[in-house]
Amino acid sequence: MSTEYIGKPTSRVDGRDKVTGKAQYAAEFEALNLTYGVVVSSTIAKGRIKAMDISAALQLPGVLQIFTHDNRPGLAWFDKSYQDEDSPPGAPFRPLYDEKILFSQQPIALVVASTFELARYAASLVKVTYETEPHVTDLNQLRQDAYTPSKYKSAEPTPRGDAETGLAQAAIKIEAEYNHPSEHHNPMEMHATTVAVAEDGTLTIYDKTQSVLNSQKYISKIFGLSTKEARVISPFVGGAFGSGLRPQYQLFLAMMAALQLKRSVKVVLTRQQMFSFGHRPATIQKLVLGAQANGALEAVVHEAIAETSQFEDYSENLVNWSAMLYKCENVQLTHKIAKMDVYTPLDMRAPGGVSGMFALECAMDELAYATKLDPLELRLVNYADKDYSEDKPFSSKELRQCYQQGAEKFGWNKRNPKPRSMREGKELIGMGLATGAWEVKQKEASAKATLSVDGTLQVSSATADIGTGTYTIMTQIAAETLGLPMEQVTFKLGDSTLPEAPLQGGSWTAATVGSAVKQACEALKEKILAGLRSAKDSPFEPVQTLEDVVFTDGRVFLKNNSEQSVSITEAMRLAGENVLEVTITAKPKKNQQEYAMFSHSAVFAEVRVDEDFGTVRVSRVVSAIAGGRVINPKTARSQVLGGIVWGIGMALEEESVIDQQYGRFINHDLAEYHVPVSADVHDLEVIFVEEHDDIVNPIGAKGLGEIGIVGAAAAIVNAVYHATGKRIRNLPITLDKLL
Amino acid sequence: MNSFTYTRATTLETAVQDKASAELAKFIAGGTNLTDLMKVNVEGPNHLIDIRQLALKDITDNADGGLRLGALATNADTAYHEQVAKRYPLLAKAILAGASAQLRNMATNGGNILQRTRCYYFYDTATACNKREPGSGCAALSGFNRIHAILGASEHCIAVHPSDMAIALAALEANVNVTGQQGNRTIPFSDFHRLPGDAPHLDNTLQPDEIITSIDLPAKGFAQHHAYLKLRDRESYAFALVSVAAGLEMDGDTITEARIALGGVAHKPWRNREAEDLLTGKSATEENFKLAAAEIMREAKGYEHNSFKIELGKRAIMRALEQAVKMSNKPDSHFHRTSTEPV
């Protein structure tokens, strides 16, 4: 037996529950006297509701209530009550607030009935008359109206030097515009909330969310409930990718109905309604790169315009990557946003990084051809040995290793540098690469660890597992820290009564909650040791500190005499303890601020393009990741594979199409919003390069949820150029663009 | 979705009677398209007649040397049927190019050719659609019409038929056998689906009281020289932007008969006899293929987002013909492949 788990490929501890259906998701919870709510959505993008006729629907036996802006209960109506932890600056959307329509598919009524089928039918009978106003939903037409937000949500552009002079000095210059459309998260599980009202009126709220605490605070503020009165539970999430960072309107509506009707209510959005809230914003990005003849960058200009809603100023870290990814003295950055009649965009896997580095890395590819340098060589010429944007050293950066190992595995040296030079029959073959980066963050988080006399350990924190493997890696960390077999360790999450944890996002959960779990288990070790010190029959000579012992294989060993050991259960018995419990809060160390902390990647892609049809097949991808310590290579690999697959989607398939006549996403289902299917996914390889980092956090892990998608799309786009000689700058590259 | 009554028909006669007795009745078999449309309130039958118990599942030999496909045989059972795979590989390939394995296991042959368009606007009741709601207009005409028709469309509708199977059936000149209150009749495949004209709400010529009982494949199966080429936005589970079912009879290098049917371009599987005649008696050269392709696309008309289909269609026709000529006579062992590579 060995209790060393960190760094070992480990199957998901919740895998069996998931594949057997035992794992329960928000829409699957049963509740006393459950009723069903179905949302009615607006069919126009802008205007007002003139009249709503709910009489026919209300007359159906079994329909309990139809909530609209006309009859909704009085609630907290201040903007700030609706703000949540992920709100951008502005006034959050308030469901059923008034008759105004702010975006297409806006929820305008909730029909509650005794069965789901009845509620759905009744919803179809609600008749609405609108007074429409002209809407704007075309970002391209809003270039002139784009503005600099008074406050950026996450990152303010950090220009430096003098790009104009830099460009004037440059021997070679490229300038191009890159666009990508709005995209939706499309998690497999639709958003859902079940509010269970017990006989005594106690509420239990099962919500699809990336933070039970965020949901809890949101409904507490709006409905005037104490946190005790509003317990939010979310043990399993069927994919979220950022869509669960903000409380969605089904939570509000289910809560409102449950409180009004004093009945349990379940509200599940339809697949079409999954296109009615946050999404990755469309962007228009201009890149100007100036370089010396040897490829060294003289200037980088990155100007971006992105969409936002009429009511909030959403912005993401879109352009700062152009200041940190390469060494360059002169960087000019602007990031403007434009108001459209859509719902506010929302963080979606590697928000900003995916979009910004798609543009930057395609531009770098163009520069490589302009300078007649190998694209990999160009990256090495401009390799940043520190973060020039903040003039800080990197806490660690093994990107060179990513380039080297990735290139070797991929066979980059077999690439003929000339575009449209490689083919097999009618297939044009192309190879492309791109760099990726993602910011590493540790937030503050708490965890509780409870060790029972039978040697079982339960660790808990109010974080989430959105399919990323949180349950598994936290169990690994706890088991290894305390030296217990994994089978004796359980990790609990997704319950607002548990110790506080931040939103599950930003790739920070492994570092943040992992550090808390580690520290909680270390505190337990202290307690066990204290018990041994005070025990009358301790087998050890007086032991002073943790330095003197090793916890492994369920036992405590003396470091200088491994013959001497005591089992953890025995140690507790000797100390007369039935249960040991600690709750700790782990905070990031202050010295982190002296460093730039990033994970990096080098992505290599091979595509095969039919020369007559323009159909693109991504035949091979190698993604080499420098992401610090990899806690679980198995789940980590899955994360990166998912990122690559999404990169294929972004490069070739994904687009939330807005019909401009209706101001409405029109391909709103999974038949017509294309994501890659198995047949689109061929040979994918993930390399984790060694990267040691003591600064990022006590675990040394950088987080891998997002880095896998960054760079993937650009590598594919660059490979398409290499295959065809056609530079497509508007995503997705559907076949018509290559004809 | 509205409430509806549901019965299970045990005989063809009662099924037909039942259908005629209720104005908004629908037959349901695999339900892979109908239930989707009911959920989004595009279809709203008040009565469903489940026909899955009818004895229409068999695939049997016909006296004329052809094959009869039961209307209720599933798409999967049809595609993998020994005789279909051997004598009509074009059909098998077309079926397997469509939908997903799960859907093909449920979907039936009758239902397949009755499936409705995937036009975004047809599916979204917030928009105008003459097919869904006659007289409401066609939002696709001035909307996002990338997946829409380039041939045979009208100012009332530019939707396309989504079936892959139907494209092969059109090329094979199948016959559709139906039963109604007036008795039995046989509809040649080319007359089964309609062009939209001013009545796009009618997809086909099946009468309200009629039910498809089987589809007859003529003896000629083009097993030696055929291709089904489907071009789409991803490798599986996407409808055709353009698809081509090609069947050739060859005498040495000379084409003695040609069949070309196109999918993804019109309200019905698209055939052009003039183009096929152009190839008859000619040698299988790129030049001749080009002439045929040009003839088929001669009257093609693109809209704002779909003009690319005209050139794509031409190239697809040429490639399909080329593949049909060059295909080896070895039986196909990999019907799961749906890509554009030569088979």
Side-chain angles (χ1 to χ4, degrees):
Chain A
M1 181 174 74
S2 163
T3 52
E4 282 170 17
Y5 298 107
I6 296 176
K8 298 210 170 130
T10 307
S11 292
R12 287 168 193 268
V13 294
D14 50 338
R16 172 175 277 272
D17 283 353
K18 281 189 170 171
V19 298
T20 57
K22 201 178 154 200
Q24 272 187 295
Y25 295 79
E28 297 181 316
F29 285 91
E30 280 308 314
L32 182 72
N33 298 322
L34 186 59
T35 63
Y36 299 82
V38 166
V39 179
V40 179
S41 309
S42 81
T43 56
I44 66 162
K46 191 177 183 188
R48 51 181 284 274
I49 298 166
K50 259 192 350 204
M52 268 177 110
D53 181 2
I54 58 172
S55 55
L58 213 45
Q59 272 162 21
L60 294 173
V63 173
L64 302 172
Q65 179 59 290
I66 299 172
F67 294 96
T68 70
H69 68 279
D70 273 334
N71 66 14
R72 49 114 180 126
L75 296 163
W77 295 115
F78 295 110
D79 280 352
K80 68 175 190 320
S81 306
Y82 287 79
Q83 256 144 13
D84 68 87
E85 281 183 52
D86 196 36
S87 291
F93 171 65
R94 291 167 292 182
L96 308 190
Y97 177 64
D98 60 17
E99 77 286 1
K100 287 201 189 82
I101 300 296
L102 304 172
F103 56 93
S104 189
Q105 283 216 70
Q106 175 177 322
I108 53 173
L110 182 77
V111 179
V112 185
S114 54
T115 68
F116 166 67
E117 289 78 6
L118 184 60
R120 182 167 61 174
Y121 174 50
S124 75
L125 299 182
V126 173
K127 295 281 169 269
V128 188
T129 14
Y130 301 96
E131 193 176 289
T132 57
E133 289 169 36
H135 57 258
V136 280
T137 46
D138 186 355
L139 184 63
N140 205 35
Q141 289 184 1
L142 292 170
R143 288 166 185 261
Q144 300 312 317
D145 302 302
Y147 61 97
T148 303
S150 54
K151 197 175 158 221
Y152 284 92
K153 177 171 177 278
S154 54
E156 198 155 330
T158 53
R160 65 171 175 270
D162 177 1
E164 214 166 295
T165 309
L167 284 174
Q169 287 166 358
I172 293 152
K173 209 177 101 175
I174 66 114
E175 177 175 340
E177 184 181 291
Y178 305 88
N179 302 326
H180 72 79
S182 313
E183 297 169 358
H184 279 80
H185 304 77
N186 280 310
M188 192 66 91
E189 178 200 18
M190 272 88 77
H191 277 258
T193 303
T194 304
V195 180
V197 183
E199 223 149 326
D200 63 358
T202 311
L203 296 174
T204 311
I205 300 133
Y206 303 96
D207 188 33
K208 171 173 177 137
T209 177
Q210 287 172 254
S211 170
V212 285
L213 296 173
N214 195 24
S215 293
Q216 183 190 47
K217 280 176 213 153
Y218 177 78
I219 54 178
S220 300
K221 280 191 294 181
I222 293 170
F223 297 100
L225 300 169
S226 69
T227 49
K228 224 176 171 181
E229 290 169 309
R231 182 181 180 193
V232 180
I233 292 180
S234 183
F236 292 98
V237 176
F241 316 114
S243 67
L245 285 173
R246 299 189 71 182
Q248 297 303 352
Y249 59 77
Q250 90 286 344
L251 171 65
F252 171 95
L253 294 172
M255 274 300 293
M256 182 189 65
L259 291 172
Q260 279 300 111
L261 301 172
K262 298 182 171 47
R263 286 279 295 272
S264 303
V265 179
K266 180 180 289 184
V267 179
V268 185
L269 298 188
T270 63
R271 180 56 66 187
Q272 287 75 17
Q273 285 165 344
M274 291 298 288
F275 288 76
S276 66
F277 53 89
H279 53 273
R280 193 191 296 287
T283 67
I284 298 170
Q285 302 181 61
K286 189 175 107 176
L287 263 291
V288 187
L289 302 181
Q292 297 170 16
N294 68 359
L297 286 166
E298 288 280 4
V300 175
V301 178
H302 191 165
E303 295 172 351
I305 299 172
E307 60 169 303
T308 191
S309 67
Q310 297 288 358
F311 44 93
E312 286 170 313
D313 276 358
Y314 177 85
S315 66
E316 51 198 15
N317 183 3
L318 185 61
V319 294
N320 283 350
W321 309 101
S322 291
M324 67 72 60
L325 206 55
Y326 299 107
K327 178 180 170 179
C328 179
E329 297 298 332
N330 306 303
V331 180
Q332 182 185 313
L333 307 171
T334 62
H335 179 184
K336 292 181 177 177
I337 54 177
K339 287 195 179 300
M340 307 209 310
D341 295 302
V342 294
Y343 194 90
T344 310
L346 175 60
D347 295 339
M348 181 163 131
R349 205 170 192 179
V354 158
S355 315
M357 277 180 274
F358 144 66
L360 173 65
E361 286 300 285
C362 290
M364 284 295 281
D365 199 58
E366 299 204 36
L367 183 65
Y369 289 98
T371 54
K372 297 189 172 59
L373 280 179
D374 182 288
L376 181 52
E377 181 60 28
L378 179 69
R379 265 83 175 178
L380 292 172
V381 165
N382 292 291
Y383 196 86
D385 46 12
K386 63 173 181 177
D387 178 3
Y388 285 83
S389 61
E390 298 195 42
D391 197 24
K392 285 177 183 174
F394 288 107
S395 63
S396 62
K397 180 179 176 179
E398 296 294 346
L399 177 58
R400 268 183 210 282
Q401 279 298 314
C402 294
Y403 288 134
Q404 194 188 320
Q405 292 182 30
E408 193 177 313
K409 191 90 203 171
F410 182 78
W412 183 254
N413 58 1
K414 293 188 186 76
R415 176 179 181 270
N416 181 333
K418 205 170 159 246
R420 213 181 172 97
S421 61
M422 298 171 72
R423 68 158 62 221
E424 210 175 292
K426 288 184 190 291
E427 278 190 334
L428 304 169
I429 301 171
M431 295 179 174
L433 75 81
T435 313
W438 189 249
E439 203 174 356
V440 178
K441 282 183 188 155
Q442 185 191 351
K443 302 258 176 184
E444 186 175 317
S446 303
K448 182 165 118 179
T450 309
L451 181 65
S452 300
V453 70
D454 62 355
T456 57
L457 171 69
Q458 191 183 73
V459 189
S460 60
S461 181
T463 181
D465 188 335
I466 56 172
T468 44
T470 312
Y471 277 115
T472 309
I473 64 164
M474 295 309 155
T475 308
Q476 288 175 264
I477 292 169
E480 175 161 324
T481 307
L482 209 54
L484 286 173
M486 266 184 75
E487 299 72 42
Q488 285 170 231
V489 182
T490 50
F491 183 71
K492 262 192 88 174
L493 53 70
D495 185 334
S496 60
T497 60
L498 299 176
E500 209 158 323
L503 295 169
Q504 209 264 17
S507 294
W508 59 56
T509 300
T512 300
V513 182
S515 297
V517 167
K518 188 176 182 203
Q519 285 178 26
C521 292
E522 270 160 2
L524 268 187
K525 291 203 294 202
E526 287 281 8
K527 285 208 168 191
I528 294 166
L529 211 58
L532 277 177
R533 279 197 293 263
S534 62
K536 267 190 286 180
D537 307 319
S538 172
F540 295 163
E541 288 302 300
V543 171
Q544 296 305 316
T545 68
L546 277 177
E547 299 294 304
D548 303 324
V549 292
V550 177
F551 282 72
T552 187
D553 300 346
R555 302 181 74 81
V556 191
F557 290 87
L558 267 190
K559 237 182 205 168
N560 57 14
N561 180 5
S562 60
E563 296 290 295
Q564 238 184 329
S565 73
V566 60
S567 74
I568 286 174
T569 48
E570 176 70 3
M572 286 178 75
R573 194 188 63 78
L574 290 172
E577 301 277 12
N578 286 329
V579 63
L580 292 174
E581 188 171 294
V582 291
T583 302
I584 62 94
T585 299
K587 294 177 185 176
K589 283 195 187 141
K590 283 226 170 65
N591 73 336
Q592 288 181 1
Q593 288 165 9
E594 296 158 26
Y595 295 90
M597 306 192 299
F598 290 89
S599 52
H600 287 90
S601 69
V603 190
F604 298 81
E606 180 190 88
V607 300
R608 285 164 179 261
V609 184
D610 189 292
E611 67 174 332
D612 291 336
F613 305 139
T615 42
V616 180
R617 181 157 58 94
V618 180
S619 42
R620 286 194 302 132
V621 177
V622 174
S623 179
I625 307 277
R629 190 178 187 191
V630 177
I631 297 166
N632 183 347
K634 191 172 183 181
T635 50
R637 181 171 174 273
S638 296
Q639 281 294 301
V640 178
L641 289 177
I644 300 169
V645 170
W646 208 335
I648 296 173
M650 182 182 182
L652 306 178
E653 298 174 3
E654 291 193 47
E655 176 170 16
S656 298
V657 178
I658 298 185
D659 175 276
Q660 300 299 342
Q661 305 166 103
Y662 295 94
R664 183 176 174 88
F665 291 112
I666 199 73
N667 57 338
H668 44 42
D669 60 45
L670 290 179
E672 300 301 337
Y673 181 98
H674 292 153
V675 300
V677 294
S678 295
D680 294 318
V681 179
H682 299 278
D683 187 8
L684 308 184
E685 191 139 7
V686 180
I687 298 169
F688 292 110
V689 308
E690 276 295 313
E691 190 174 63
H692 187 75
D693 196 324
D694 285 332
I695 291 154
V696 279
N697 54 64
I699 309 279
K702 288 186 169 179
L704 296 164
E706 282 154 303
I707 185 65
I709 184 175
V710 185
I716 293 165
V717 174
N718 294 340
V720 169
Y721 173 76
H722 181 241
T724 63
K726 287 181 188 164
R727 179 64 69 177
I728 309 300
R729 302 185 183 92
N730 293 316
L731 297 187
I733 306 181
T734 46
L735 58 82
D736 43 310
K737 295 177 185 170
L738 287 171
L739 271 186
Chain B
M1 188 188 269
N2 54 290
S3 293
F4 52 85
T5 53
Y6 170 90
T7 55
R8 219 174 256 166
T10 49
T11 69
L12 202 52
E13 292 68 34
T14 53
V16 170
Q17 275 166 20
D18 199 3
K19 177 84 173 5
S21 67
E23 201 191 333
L24 297 174
K26 285 255 175 204
F27 294 124
I28 184 165
T32 54
N33 191 211
L34 179 60
T35 49
D36 274 359
L37 291 167
M38 289 168 72
K39 285 182 199 167
V40 292
N41 297 314
V42 172
E43 297 274 12
N46 59 4
H47 183 53
L48 283 186
I49 305 150
D50 189 333
I51 55 172
R52 280 177 295 184
Q53 292 191 345
L54 302 184
L56 300 171
K57 292 189 183 69
D58 292 341
I59 296 176
T60 51
D61 284 325
N62 273 342
D64 66 354
L67 200 62
R68 173 161 292 184
L69 311 176
L72 288 173
T74 67
N75 286 178
D77 285 346
T78 305
Y80 294 116
H81 189 274
E82 197 193 339
Q83 290 302 312
V84 175
K86 195 170 130 196
R87 291 155 61 190
Y88 305 96
L90 170 60
L91 179 63
K93 286 173 191 170
I95 292 173
L96 295 177
S100 63
Q102 293 89 336
L103 286 165
R104 294 192 297 265
N105 286 339
M106 283 299 289
T108 61
N109 292 336
N112 185 307
I113 63 172
L114 291 174
Q115 65 181 297
R116 310 210 65 190
T117 184
R118 306 303 294 207
C119 172
Y120 315 120
Y121 302 94
F122 176 69
Y123 262 78
D124 189 338
T125 55
T127 68
C129 173
N130 288 323
K131 184 180 277 299
R132 173 169 34 79
E133 201 184 329
S136 64
C138 173
L141 270 176
S142 48
F144 187 66
N145 44 35
R146 181 172 176 270
I147 62 173
H148 291 76
I150 51 170
L151 286 161
S154 76
E155 57 181 322
H156 304 286
C157 181
I158 57 171
V160 300
H161 199 273
S163 169
D164 289 294
M165 182 185 191
I167 310 309
L169 291 174
L172 291 168
E173 297 192 342
N175 287 299
V176 183
N177 298 314
V178 308
T179 294
Q181 284 184 311
Q182 311 299 318
N184 303 334
R185 66 182 181 121
T186 295
I187 310 171
F189 206 78
S190 56
D191 296 337
F192 185 78
H193 295 101
R194 303 177 63 253
L195 287 178
D198 58 3
H201 61 288
L202 300 173
D203 291 349
N204 53 58
T205 54
L206 196 68
Q207 295 305 301
D209 68 313
E210 286 179 326
I211 184 170
I212 300 172
T213 54
S214 62
I215 300 166
D216 282 339
L217 303 177
K220 203 179 281 176
F222 300 94
Q224 303 299 309
H225 295 286
H226 68 271
Y228 187 74
L229 176 62
K230 181 176 181 180
L231 300 174
R232 46 179 152 177
D233 283 323
R234 61 181 170 191
E235 283 278 309
S236 179
Y237 197 59
F239 294 91
L241 292 166
V242 170
S243 71
V244 182
L248 298 175
E249 292 273 280
M250 307 274 299
D251 181 7
D253 190 39
T254 305
I255 297 166
T256 56
E257 186 173 2
R259 302 268 181 86
I260 305 166
L262 264 62
V265 296
H267 198 258
K268 62 184 288 187
W270 192 259
R271 287 272 307 273
N272 182 325
R273 305 296 200 287
E274 286 80 20
E276 293 170 5
D277 290 345
L278 274 180
L279 289 172
T280 311
K282 301 278 170 52
S283 55
T285 63
E286 191 181 326
E287 208 157 296
N288 287 330
F289 294 163
K290 203 168 192 169
L291 287 173
E295 169 58 27
I296 291 171
M297 289 297 168
R298 193 162 49 84
E299 289 184 5
K301 175 179 177 287
Y303 297 86
E304 188 182 350
H305 303 279
N306 72 346
S307 294
F308 72 93
K309 282 188 177 185
I310 299 171
E311 179 60 27
L312 186 70
K314 287 182 191 169
R315 295 183 189 184
I317 292 163
M318 292 177 64
R319 178 78 64 88
L321 290 169
E322 190 186 314
Q323 287 180 1
V325 171
K326 282 186 190 160
M327 69 176 288
S328 71
N329 291 334
K330 273 179 266 164
D332 274 299
S333 58
H334 54 304
F335 278 135
H336 64 284
R337 291 298 300 172
T338 56
S339 71
T340 56
E341 67 196 41
V343 286

